[in-house]
Amino acid sequence: MKRSVVNFIFKNKQILLIIPALFLLFIILTIRSCISDRSDSFEFDKSAELLVDLKDKDQVDKLEDLLKKYNAKVLQAFPQVQDADITELDDYYTVDVEDQSVVAKIIDEINNSGLADEVEYNETYKLSPIEQKTEESDENSNFKLNSLNDPFVSKLWGFELMDIDNLSSEIVSAKPKKKAKIFILDTGIDADHEDISDNYVSLSKKYDEDTGLHGTHCAGIAGAVSNNKKGIASLNFTGDFTSITSITVLPGGFGTQEAIIDGIILAADNGADVISMSLGGPSSDKRQRAYEQAIEYANKKGAIIVVAAGNANENALKHVPASCKGVITVSAVDKSLNKASFSNTVEDIELKVAAPGVNIFSTTPNDEYKSLNGTSMATPYVSGLIGLMKSFKPKLTTAEAYRILNSTGIDTKDTRKTGKFIQPYVALSKILR
Amino acid sequence: MDPEIKLFVGTISFEDLEGGYWALTDEKNNEKYMVRDISEELKKENLRIAAIGQEFSNEMSIYMVSKVVKLIQYRILK
C-alpha cells in the first residue's frame, strides 16, 4: 500500500506540493491545539443558526454589514483551513442570531444579496442518526422444511418465501441434463468447507481459499451441499444439479476492473453456465464499455451473468457491472419483501429481479456459518436458481432466463424499485413442462 | 482516474454490510465514505475526526458503496 501511494505521488507532480502543505497544516493545527488547549476548534459554532458558503471570502465584511441590523455574529466555520487550493471549507461562515424569528428573513437576504453560493440551517450539517439496519432475528423463524435435513435450514427465511420445500420435494428425483457450472467471482472460496467441498470443482488451487469470508458466504448460498445433515442447504438439493467454482478477483474485498474482466473471460473459457458476481463500483462510460465486451463474450460462450445491484441505496445505473447490458441484476429485499434499506434500486435496469438480502445465513471459512446483509447475498440465490434451470435446459439464454424469472416472480412492497421476487418452484416448472 | 485528496470532518460508524466495514460520514455534505485500511484507533462508533484523505471514485469491491476514502492523516476531535 505504501508503494502504491508513493507511485501515485510520483505520477502526480502537483501532489508533491500538496502533500507537504497538508502535513504542515496538520502540524500547525496540532501545535495550536496543544498550546491553547482548543482541541475542539474543529467544532462548528454549535449555537449558530446558519452556515453560509460565501462566493468570495473577501466579501465577509459585506455579509457582516448586511446582517448588522439583526445583531448577527458572523464567524469563519473552519478557521483552521489554510490551504484554500484543496478545499472550499474556508469559504464557510456561521451566522449566529439571538432572535430566532428573523432567521428566515436572514436566509432570504443572504440569498438575494448574491454573496453566497449556499445558505443552510446549521442543523443540516449535523449527522443523521446512524441508520439501523433491518437485521431480523433468526429466533422468530419457526418454519420447517420437510424435505431437507440440514440443521440450519430453518434459519434460511428466504426458503419459506421462495417455496423451496415444494421445489425440493418435486425435483429431488428428477434427472438433470447436465451439472451446471456456477462460477463465483469474489474473494475466493474455502474449498474445504464441510458444507461446500462436495459440490466444489477447483479451477486452480490459488482460488481455493478465501481471502476474506465473502466468497465462501456467497458460495454457500448458491450451492451449499444439501441433505448432508450439516449446516445449510441450497437449491442443489441432490448435488447433481450444479457445481461451484471459484475465481478470486477481489483479494481482500477490493480489486481492479481488469481483474474482474479477466475473471469473466476465464470463467467463460472454462465452461461456466452461470457467472455470479457480488461486486461492483461506480459506473463510467469507459468502464461500462469494457465490461460489456467481456459480458458479451461470456454470453456468447453460453454463460448467464448474475450481478448485485449494489449497496448505496441509489439508482443501480450509477454502478457497474449492475448497469451493464447482458446481465441479470439483483436487488435485495427483507423478510417482509421491503426493499433492503441499503439496496440500490433497479427501476432503470433492463433485466432485474429481487431476492433475499437481509440477515442471510450461510457458510464462512473454517466450517463456520454467519448471517450477512447485502445485495451480494441476494445475487447467489438467483445464480443458484439459474444454475438449477440450466441443469435441465443447458441452452437457456439470459433473455429466456430473465423472462421466466420475471413472469413467475411475485411483487415486493416496491416492485418498481426492486424487480420481481424470484419464485424458484414456479420458474423451474416452466422449464420442466 | 487518480484519487482526489480532500479534507474531511465527520463521524466514524460501523456498517453491517457485506461482512462489515467502517465508514466516515462527512459533515460537510452528509456523504458516507467507506474507509479503507482504517487504523485500529479509529474503530469506534461515533468517533469524530478531522482528516485528510484520498477519495477513490473508481474502486471495485464486494462492498459496492459509492465512495471510498483512504485517510492519510487524521486527528480525533472532542
Side-chain angles (χ1 to χ4, degrees):
Chain A
M1 187 53 66
K2 278 180 185 166
R3 190 178 296 162
S4 66
V5 170
V6 171
N7 286 342
F8 164 75
I9 287 168
F10 279 99
K11 277 182 195 166
N12 298 271
K13 288 176 185 167
Q14 69 274 25
I15 299 302
L16 290 172
L17 300 174
I18 293 171
I19 294 283
L22 293 173
F23 283 124
L24 185 62
L25 169 65
F26 260 79
I27 289 165
I28 291 167
L29 292 175
T30 306
I31 291 170
R32 271 179 51 163
S33 169
C34 292
I35 292 172
S36 60
D37 192 25
R38 288 184 61 206
S39 56
D40 61 344
S41 62
F42 274 87
E43 296 275 352
F44 288 118
D45 178 356
K46 287 177 180 168
S47 63
E49 279 74 28
L50 300 174
L51 204 55
V52 181
D53 179 6
L54 280 183
K55 283 183 176 157
D56 179 352
K57 67 179 175 184
D58 292 337
Q59 292 188 320
V60 65
D61 292 346
K62 288 184 182 171
L63 180 67
E64 283 172 335
D65 287 346
L66 183 73
L67 304 181
K68 201 174 270 177
K69 62 192 168 201
Y70 298 110
N71 202 21
K73 199 162 88 181
V74 179
L75 289 171
Q76 195 168 14
F78 298 97
Q80 68 277 15
V81 173
Q82 299 192 358
D83 190 342
D85 292 340
I86 61 161
T87 178
E88 292 175 358
L89 282 174
D90 61 323
D91 292 339
Y92 278 83
Y93 285 80
T94 56
V95 175
D96 186 16
V97 281
E98 283 178 12
D99 181 1
Q100 299 293 311
S101 67
V102 299
V103 171
K105 257 189 212 170
I106 288 176
I107 291 174
D108 284 346
E109 285 214 26
I110 296 173
N111 279 330
N112 293 335
S113 71
L115 292 171
D117 282 327
E118 214 172 318
V119 185
E120 296 181 45
Y121 285 99
N122 202 359
E123 64 191 15
T124 308
Y125 282 75
K126 289 175 188 167
L127 293 178
S128 302
I130 295 168
E131 188 180 5
Q132 292 298 311
K133 300 294 175 222
T134 51
E135 185 102 16
E136 295 160 354
S137 169
D138 298 332
E139 290 159 18
N140 295 331
S141 178
N142 56 2
F143 85 100
K144 192 170 176 294
L145 284 178
N146 296 314
S147 56
L148 298 166
N149 63 21
D150 307 85
F152 294 142
V153 82
S154 63
K155 289 175 178 280
L156 309 178
W157 61 262
F159 272 29
E160 189 176 22
L161 290 176
M162 294 189 291
D163 200 10
I164 298 303
D165 212 8
N166 272 329
L167 175 65
S168 74
S169 305
E170 189 79 16
I171 67 160
V172 75
S173 56
K175 197 159 175 60
K177 290 186 176 155
K178 73 177 287 194
K179 189 184 254 196
K181 296 178 180 175
I182 301 173
F183 277 63
I184 308 279
L185 274 51
D186 211 288
T187 56
I189 293 175
D190 176 7
D192 294 327
H193 194 288
E194 62 174 9
D195 216 11
I196 292 175
S197 60
D198 285 351
N199 281 349
Y200 188 80
V201 175
S202 175
L203 184 63
S204 166
K205 276 195 172 177
K206 64 183 176 185
Y207 303 138
D208 295 348
E209 58 184 43
D210 200 336
T211 58
L213 55 78
H214 195 263
T216 304
H217 200 269
C218 292
I221 296 166
V225 183
S226 306
N227 269 323
N228 61 344
K229 298 184 180 172
K230 286 179 189 167
I232 59 165
S234 70
L235 302 196
N236 187 19
F237 305 115
T238 64
D240 294 331
F241 303 122
T242 57
S243 67
I244 296 292
T245 298
S246 167
I247 297 177
T248 307
V249 296
L250 299 177
F254 292 91
T256 62
Q257 182 187 10
E258 287 75 17
I260 295 167
I261 287 174
D262 282 348
I264 295 172
I265 293 166
L266 186 60
D269 286 343
N270 281 277
D273 291 291
V274 183
I275 299 175
S276 187
M277 295 198 290
S278 294
L279 52 81
S283 66
S284 74
D285 288 346
K286 192 178 161 194
R287 246 168 260 154
Q288 190 117 357
R289 276 195 300 275
Y291 271 120
E292 284 178 356
Q293 284 175 16
I295 290 161
E296 190 181 2
Y297 174 79
N299 286 161
K300 281 180 178 169
K301 295 202 79 164
I304 295 177
I305 299 182
V306 185
V307 303
N311 297 324
N313 185 25
E314 62 187 13
N315 194 319
L317 270 186
K318 294 179 180 175
H319 292 246
V320 284
S323 59
C324 291
K325 279 183 185 161
V327 302
I328 295 176
T329 302
V330 187
S331 71
V333 295
D334 66 16
K335 212 175 190 173
S336 306
L337 293 182
N338 289 309
K339 183 185 87 68
S341 58
F342 52 81
S343 178
N344 283 346
T345 59
V346 292
E347 64 269 37
D348 295 321
I349 301 294
E350 191 185 354
L351 312 179
K352 70 280 182 120
V353 291
V358 177
N359 195 24
I360 304 302
F361 194 75
S362 183
T363 48
T364 54
N366 304 314
D367 294 341
E368 290 181 358
Y369 302 83
K370 194 175 179 181
S371 286
L372 298 181
N373 305 305
T375 51
S376 288
M377 284 65 247
T379 303
Y381 273 122
V382 177
S383 301
L385 172 56
I386 292 177
L388 183 62
M389 290 160 71
K390 280 205 104 180
S391 74
F392 288 98
K393 188 175 181 183
K395 291 196 188 290
L396 185 74
T397 65
T398 302
E400 287 168 340
Y402 175 69
R403 207 176 304 123
I404 291 169
L405 296 183
N406 188 51
S407 64
T408 58
I410 60 171
D411 282 329
T412 69
K413 296 277 170 61
D414 195 348
T415 308
R416 193 178 71 84
K417 289 185 175 175
T418 64
K420 291 278 188 76
F421 183 76
I422 56 168
Q423 290 294 291
Y425 179 48
V426 197
L428 196 72
S429 68
K430 292 254 182 194
I431 296 278
L432 294 176
R433 74 178 181 195
Chain B
M1 192 188 296
D2 292 324
E4 192 178 343
I5 293 188
K6 284 185 174 176
L7 178 64
F8 299 86
V9 178
T11 304
I12 299 286
S13 61
F14 184 76
E15 299 298 312
D16 185 16
L17 268 176
E18 309 290 356
Y21 62 87
W22 291 90
L24 171 64
T25 303
D26 191 355
E27 292 175 10
K28 183 169 181 281
N29 48 21
N30 222 21
E31 293 273 12
K32 194 174 278 183
Y33 295 80
M34 180 192 174
V35 184
R36 275 197 72 166
D37 306 324
I38 190 169
S39 78
E40 288 299 318
E41 185 186 25
L42 295 184
K43 290 181 178 176
K44 285 178 194 150
E45 200 69 60
N46 296 323
L47 189 70
R48 192 160 179 264
I49 66 166
I52 290 164
Q54 292 174 314
E55 183 186 345
F56 294 80
S57 57
N58 58 353
E59 194 85 359
M60 291 291 149
S61 77
I62 57 172
Y63 302 100
M64 295 174 278
V65 292
S66 288
K67 295 173 186 293
V68 178
V69 66
K70 183 173 167 54
L71 303 181
I72 300 168
Q73 276 277 14
Y74 62 83
R75 208 177 116 207
I76 296 170
L77 305 175
K78 282 185 180 172

